[in-house]
């Protein structure tokens, strides 16, 4: 059975994107790397509901709306990608999962090494997200 997940590209007017520095836990995908917010779709859960639940759990944030971008399928993964505009300041978000969060421009994201203000050092971007970001930028162009 394939693992089904949702990811959300949270952005400020498509000019900068909020990412999460993932925990250093061996049982999660891409530990210690920058990733999007999101997570696994629970059994019998609607995909749209999973997006809102994950954002509430991870950031204490419920966006007014979300947009579906596309679904990626591999041998063992179904990944539903969404985007939504952040209408609140970063200071109003509460990070409940992950080590840090940061806002990055497209150029910073494509450098694939993003700086953590909290840890005062660079961490890699999860490599799978490079193609997903390219698709997002094509989608919004």
């Amino acid at each position: 059975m394939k693992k089904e997940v949702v990811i959300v590209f949270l952005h400020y007017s498509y000019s900068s994107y909020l990412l999460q520095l993932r925990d250093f836990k061996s049982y999660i995908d891409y530990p210690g790397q920058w990733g999007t917010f999101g997570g696994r779709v629970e059994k019998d859960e609607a995909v749209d509901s999973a997006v809102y639940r994950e954002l509430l759990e991870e950031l204490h944030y419920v966006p007014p709306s979300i947009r579906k971008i596309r679904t990626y399928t591999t041998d063992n993964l179904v990944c539903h990608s969404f985007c939504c505009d952040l209408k609140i300041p970063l200071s109003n978000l509460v990070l409940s999962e992950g080590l840090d969060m940061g806002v990055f421009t497209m150029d910073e994201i494509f450098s694939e090494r993003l700086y953590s203000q909290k840890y005062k050092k660079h961490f890699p971007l999860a490599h799978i997200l490079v193609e997903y970001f390219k698709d997002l930028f094509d989608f919004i162009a």
Side-chain angles (χ1 to χ4, degrees), residues 112-125:
E112 299 182 40
R113 304 257 328 139
L114 304 172
Y115 189 75
S116 166
Q117 295 293 330
K118 182 176 179 181
Y119 292 97
K120 307 291 186 223
K121 66 185 231 179
H122 288 86
F123 292 89
L125 176 70

Side-chain angles (χ1 to χ4, degrees), residues 16-67:
S16 57
Y17 297 82
L18 179 66
L19 296 177
Q20 172 197 59
L21 181 57
R22 298 176 58 78
D23 289 310
F24 283 102
K25 296 178 179 173
S26 61
Y27 58 87
I28 66 171
D29 295 327
Y30 309 106
Q33 298 179 41
W34 288 100
T36 58
F37 289 88
R40 183 168 259 172
V41 178
E42 295 178 357
K43 185 178 182 203
D44 299 324
E45 182 179 36
V47 171
D48 288 359
S49 296
V51 173
Y52 287 105
R53 177 186 51 76
E54 287 289 341
L55 291 176
L56 184 60
E57 288 174 3
E58 295 180 2
L59 288 171
H60 299 229
Y61 177 63
V62 177
S65 64
I66 56 172
R67 288 176 63 194

Side-chain angles (χ1 to χ4, degrees), residues 74-87:
T74 65
D75 290 341
N76 57 355
L77 179 70
V78 177
C79 178
H80 306 279
S81 65
F82 294 83
C83 67
C84 74
D85 197 7
L86 274 169
K87 299 285 190 187

